[in-house]
Amino acid sequence: MRLFASIRMECLRFLKKRSFWLLLLVTAAAPIAGLFYQPIYGSTRNALYLGNPAYVGGVLGAMFWGIFTLVSANREKAWGMDILQDAVYSPFVRKTARLLALCLLAFFTEVGICLVYLPWTCWKTGTAWNVGLYFSAYVLFSLFSIWFAILAASGIYSFWERADLSAITFLVFYLMCWNGSVSSSYLLPWVKPAVNFMSDDFGNVRMLQSAAYNRLFWLMLLSAFFLLGLFATRRYEKGFFGSMRANRKKLLFAVLGLALGILAGNLFVYQPFVDHSSKDLSTIGTMMVEYAEELKLLESDVELKTDTFLGTLKAKGSYRIQNLTGEEQQAVMQINPGYTVKNMTANGEEIPFTEGSDYDNTKDITFTLPAEEEILLEFEYGGLPQEWSIIEYNQGMLEISRESICLGRLELTPALQMDYDDTLKTTLRMTLPENLTPVMGGRVEVSLKEENGDGTNTWESISNDPTPRLYAGDYVSRTISLENGGEVQLWYSQKHEAAMDEIQIDETLKNVFDYCETHYGSLGFGEENGLRLLETSVYLSGGYASDGMSVMDESSFSEEGFKDEKKGASGSEVLAHEITHQWWGLACQFWEDAEHPEWSSEGVTVYTTYRMMKEWKGEEYAETYYLNAWKEAVEDYYQDFYVRNPEYLEKLPEDLQYLVSGSRTTVEQYSLMPLKLWKAEQILGEERMDEVLAELFQMGYLGCTYQDFLEISGLEEEDLYVEETYGV
């Protein structure tokens, strides 16, 4: 009971201090800074109005509470009362009570902050509002950061028993989270978890799982550190080691500390979310597995179920294989490293197999098939799909939750490294939550087979793709007919239904396709029966196109993104900009040019959007909302001190260089480049300019450079200079 009484006494003591109420005030205000400093990228509402405030609130709050903890820990020594205090009040109880009191007060502070910001966040996030995500973000991003700061500061002071050294050590420990080697890991940053995106339309469960694992790891490690510091509490004016000898009766603290430290080490070594592939970029693609040409895959049948609570998958595969040699053949199956394979049989007989090491987010399963000509290979597989180690700081791409499912080729079905042709029949039966509609990558169609009545539905797909992709969400679709007789099928989250009607998505999409196909050419990745456009999670960042499908992440459909004036003057124009990226950025790719950083798909896309608006809404409209906006932005750009004096930019700290360069890049790509293209148009004329861009478009996936544009147009670099206009 003495400990609980001491906790109560410490709480009352803190509540009587004006400095503590100031701490509460600045902690409550800290989330507001997240509206200006935004470490979580993107234009999703959850990132802008939930993630960043909670995240930045935790980063600042950890600093505030860490400093306050150090000052509180040094209070008795600063007033010369530590020896007297130790005589009447056990330092072990006092330190533990102070730690728990601060953690308890931090908890209630965070509860108050959550309640204060809840109505505003609910209003700003709109259709993306999720009460569970709201409290999870504030607990994982903010509360735990503050708790860890209290634990770290308490442990550091126990080791040093000096305010100056403790403050320096805590500051170093705090700032280490911004070190490149630390921030590239999802486990090592204690104050700023590895969160780069937050989704509005699809799930955030995988990101939250990895953030929670980070918090568990640091809770164990810092608790161990505090207990070891407690064991080193100074006694009888002895030094560090002398005090530990004097505290030998408190050996339990050291034992518990070491036990928690060992547990933290095991959590680090055996973490389940990231594979163990090499992070050496030079090794990517060097591990090649040859196809077994003597084996032919004839048919595959996979039945899988998902556990949306744990984020895991469980499946059973049946593969019919033809052995063309009449001899035993070794085969390799590739699978996600997070999955385990078991119960492998060939024609009903169990066969052994070996698992290789992880590489390139892949694991090889090697086995030997019998000499029979027809072989039925059966096995079970499943587990938690693991992210690639080189992008472990950006988890969320592999999602299995009630909000969405996103699984790539090796995460959905294994890839047998053997021959196959167009006669291959791949059957996939999937049991998914009833609120999700699956869409398969490429040309794969999906049909609903059964409503199971237990909150799940069973879907079936039949195709000749041996390793399809799966995207499942609250999808709705629209089919838009084009002037050339083709069709575009658009799949997007039903959360956008009202916004899509408001921006007249059918008309906008039809107009963009008709314009770009007429002026530049047809997309090379479309099919005879049309193109499928699919919205996916922001965690996939960008998109890809193949086999009649083009994938765009949700930032292209974000209502907040529709307000981005760099891309267009209205929501429909911003969406037109995003759809135009099907031509500039996907079908035709761009090589970076160090001498011309403005050269990018963004610049050509902004210019194309301007030309479309000029044709549809008139020259005056296009000049007002596009051309004049570019000129104004470029004029401000050339008045920038660091543009006029680039030698001073190199003298700034690296993080400030990044911020300055980032703002410059935005102007260069969204204003300077389209202005240069407009100048080229003035020289060449609109018709010739369209011919130049059409020829550039034909370069496709090979990529095009700024020099390619100059050579095709017959222009010189000097022809497109705009610097002299602004006195540079």
Side-chain angles (χ1 to χ4, degrees):
M1 289 298 294
R2 186 176 180 185
L3 176 62
F4 292 105
S6 298
I7 293 172
R8 178 176 177 275
M9 182 181 67
E10 289 289 336
C11 286
L12 292 174
R13 182 174 64 82
F14 285 128
L15 291 172
K16 292 177 181 179
K17 296 173 69 70
R18 283 181 292 182
S19 58
F20 178 77
W21 288 102
L22 177 61
L23 172 68
L24 261 61
L25 182 62
V26 295
T27 305
I32 298 174
L35 300 177
F36 306 97
Y37 170 57
Q38 299 178 337
I40 301 178
Y41 308 128
S43 58
T44 60
R45 293 181 176 183
N46 277 327
L48 292 173
Y49 306 120
L50 170 56
N52 281 309
Y55 194 100
V56 175
V59 169
L60 295 178
M63 173 58 77
F64 301 151
W65 284 78
I67 293 173
F68 185 83
T69 301
L70 290 177
V71 173
S72 299
N74 192 56
R75 181 176 63 95
E76 293 89 359
K77 194 166 187 178
W79 287 92
M81 298 290 292
D82 51 325
I83 299 176
L84 180 61
Q85 188 87 305
D86 290 347
V88 297
Y89 190 11
S90 167
F92 305 104
V93 174
R94 186 173 72 252
K95 289 183 176 182
T96 304
R98 180 168 55 233
L99 170 78
L100 295 177
L102 285 170
C103 288
L104 186 63
L105 291 171
F107 170 78
F108 286 112
T109 299
E110 203 63 36
V111 169
I113 290 172
C114 286
L115 295 177
V116 168
Y117 286 98
L118 188 148
W120 178 84
T121 307
C122 179
W123 170 57
K124 295 296 288 185
T125 54
T127 57
W129 167 253
N130 183 313
V131 65
L133 179 63
Y134 177 81
F135 285 105
S136 296
Y138 271 97
V139 168
L140 293 174
F141 303 168
S142 189
L143 177 59
F144 271 101
S145 292
I146 293 173
W147 277 351
F148 293 162
I150 296 170
L151 269 169
S154 299
I156 289 170
Y157 189 84
S158 289
F159 272 98
W160 289 121
E161 292 280 352
R162 283 182 55 180
D164 51 354
L165 291 177
S166 297
I168 293 171
T169 305
F170 178 78
L171 183 61
V172 171
F173 182 60
Y174 180 85
L175 293 177
M176 82 170 192
C177 295
W178 280 265
N179 176 271
S181 300
V182 173
S183 60
S184 64
S185 166
Y186 88 96
L187 276 179
L188 294 181
W190 65 272
V191 75
K192 48 188 295 288
V195 180
N196 288 301
F197 301 100
M198 289 186 71
S199 175
D200 287 347
D201 306 331
F202 303 96
N204 292 285
V205 171
R206 181 54 180 263
M207 176 274 291
L208 293 175
Q209 286 177 330
S210 64
Y213 194 87
N214 167 286
R215 284 8 209 151
L216 178 62
F217 165 71
W218 277 107
L219 181 62
M220 297 296 104
L221 189 60
L222 290 174
S223 296
F225 180 67
F226 172 75
L227 287 170
L228 292 174
L230 205 60
F231 181 64
T233 295
R234 301 298 189 272
R235 302 298 300 278
Y236 315 121
E237 298 188 358
K238 295 179 180 292
F240 181 81
F241 295 105
S243 295
M244 284 197 292
R245 286 194 297 270
N247 294 332
R248 57 186 176 274
K249 292 184 178 180
K250 304 294 184 181
L251 187 62
L252 180 61
F253 292 142
V255 173
L256 287 176
L258 290 173
L260 289 175
I262 293 171
L263 178 58
N266 279 274
L267 288 173
F268 185 86
V269 173
Y270 299 108
Q271 58 78 29
F273 297 103
V274 177
D275 72 7
H276 296 88
S277 301
S278 171
K279 292 187 177 183
D280 184 356
L281 298 180
S282 64
T283 65
I284 297 176
T286 58
M287 295 286 292
M288 303 297 293
V289 177
E290 293 186 7
Y291 270 38
E293 296 181 358
E294 302 83 2
L295 300 172
K296 184 176 182 180
L297 180 60
L298 304 176
E299 184 178 355
S300 66
D301 189 298
V302 176
E303 185 170 350
L304 63 86
K305 295 182 178 181
T306 57
D307 186 328
T308 56
F309 178 75
L310 297 176
T312 59
L313 174 146
K314 183 179 180 181
K316 183 176 182 180
S318 178
Y319 290 73
R320 192 161 63 87
I321 300 168
Q322 184 179 20
N323 185 345
L324 303 176
T325 65
E327 301 176 354
E328 289 187 349
Q329 291 293 321
Q330 182 172 287
V332 175
M333 176 174 69
Q334 294 183 327
I335 199 168
N336 181 277
Y339 292 160
T340 56
V341 176
K342 60 182 181 179
N343 301 331
M344 181 177 287
T345 63
N347 292 336
E349 297 292 329
E350 186 173 346
I351 59 174
F353 60 88
T354 59
E355 295 187 0
S357 300
D358 301 353
Y359 69 94
D360 299 353
N361 202 213
T362 301
K363 179 171 64 178
D364 290 341
I365 308 295
T366 304
F367 52 93
T368 301
L369 293 174
E372 287 97 323
E373 180 179 0
E374 288 259 343
I375 302 170
L376 182 63
L377 178 69
E378 295 179 298
F379 56 89
E380 298 175 11
Y381 67 94
L384 180 74
Q386 290 184 339
E387 307 268 3
W388 197 355
S389 60
I390 64 172
I391 52 172
E392 66 171 284
Y393 56 86
N394 185 27
Q395 293 189 54
M397 289 184 284
L398 302 179
E399 175 88 5
I400 299 177
S401 68
R402 289 202 61 83
E403 289 79 26
S404 71
I405 295 174
C406 179
L407 296 172
R409 294 189 181 278
L410 299 186
E411 290 76 43
L412 187 63
T413 58
L416 273 65
Q417 302 302 294
M418 58 186 64
D419 192 25
Y420 68 93
D421 56 31
D422 289 342
T423 63
L424 171 67
K425 180 182 178 182
T426 300
T427 303
L428 181 62
R429 285 180 296 279
M430 306 163 287
T431 301
L432 309 175
E434 62 184 359
N435 61 303
L436 301 184
T437 300
V439 181
M440 306 295 289
R443 296 161 289 183
V444 182
E445 298 295 335
V446 188
S447 60
L448 177 63
K449 299 301 292 183
E450 186 177 0
E451 296 179 357
N452 300 319
D454 60 354
T456 64
N457 292 336
T458 299
W459 300 78
E460 182 180 78
S461 71
I462 300 176
S463 69
N464 62 357
D465 187 345
T467 53
R469 297 183 178 93
L470 170 63
Y471 307 95
D474 60 339
Y475 283 119
V476 293
S477 66
R478 299 189 184 202
T479 301
I480 296 98
S481 299
L482 306 178
E483 283 188 0
N484 64 6
E487 289 184 343
V488 175
Q489 192 177 62
L490 176 65
W491 290 82
Y492 58 92
S493 169
Q494 65 181 3
K495 296 184 181 73
H496 295 300
E497 191 75 351
M500 291 299 177
D501 290 335
E502 183 178 342
I503 64 174
Q504 300 175 313
I505 179 60
D506 298 56
E507 181 181 351
T508 299
L509 194 147
K510 178 182 182 301
N511 289 341
V512 171
F513 267 80
D514 291 342
Y515 180 92
C516 291
E517 288 190 343
T518 301
H519 288 76
Y520 311 129
S522 298
L523 296 172
F525 44 78
E527 298 288 322
E528 292 183 2
N529 58 350
L531 175 70
R532 182 184 296 175
L533 287 178
L534 177 69
E535 178 196 7
T536 58
S537 171
V538 70
Y539 292 104
L540 272 68
S541 187
Y544 72 90
S546 66
D547 297 329
M549 173 179 278
S550 179
V551 168
M552 306 164 64
D553 78 62
E554 65 188 279
S555 60
S556 299
F557 297 83
S558 167
E559 281 83 344
E560 292 300 312
F562 289 162
K563 302 173 185 177
D564 190 345
E565 295 181 355
K566 300 189 303 295
K567 299 178 180 180
S570 66
S572 61
E573 293 172 36
V574 172
L575 186 60
H577 169 104
E578 299 295 352
I579 296 171
T580 303
H581 272 302
Q582 301 297 309
W583 279 261
W584 308 119
L586 280 178
C588 179
Q589 299 182 2
F590 290 69
W591 290 104
E592 293 183 0
D593 189 328
E595 295 184 3
H596 297 281
E598 69 273 16
W599 176 251
S600 68
S601 62
E602 290 296 348
V604 183
T605 300
V606 171
Y607 171 77
T608 301
T609 308
Y610 155 76
R611 287 288 306 279
M612 288 189 291
M613 296 309 122
K614 183 178 179 180
E615 181 173 309
W616 301 340
K617 298 188 176 183
E619 184 173 353
E620 182 179 353
Y621 181 92
E623 183 174 340
T624 300
Y625 291 103
Y626 289 85
L627 185 57
N628 291 344
W630 302 339
K631 291 179 177 178
E632 182 179 343
V634 171
E635 182 177 6
D636 292 340
Y637 171 81
Y638 282 119
Q639 296 301 317
D640 185 271
F641 175 81
Y642 294 107
V643 173
R644 290 177 172 269
N645 305 276
E647 66 275 11
Y648 287 98
L649 180 61
E650 299 176 0
K651 298 179 180 180
L652 291 175
E654 187 175 337
D655 56 341
L656 291 180
Q657 286 187 42
Y658 178 79
L659 289 174
V660 172
S661 299
S663 62
R664 287 172 52 179
T665 299
T666 299
V667 177
E668 290 166 351
Q669 295 185 355
Y670 285 90
S671 298
L672 179 58
M673 191 65 233
L675 189 60
K676 287 189 172 185
L677 294 173
W678 173 81
K679 192 169 184 179
E681 174 202 312
Q682 302 307 299
I683 300 172
L684 301 173
E686 287 187 355
E687 185 175 346
R688 174 57 185 153
M689 187 66 177
D690 288 343
E691 292 173 356
V692 169
L693 292 179
E695 190 172 344
L696 203 68
F697 175 71
Q698 297 307 315
M699 302 183 74
Y701 290 116
L702 295 176
C704 57
T705 65
Y706 190 59
Q707 191 61 38
D708 292 330
F709 171 75
L710 294 176
E711 290 177 1
I712 294 172
S713 64
L715 298 172
E716 300 292 335
E717 286 191 28
E718 294 78 6
D719 296 329
L720 303 183
Y721 282 168
V722 297
E723 288 86 343
E724 66 275 6
T725 306
Y726 303 99
V728 179

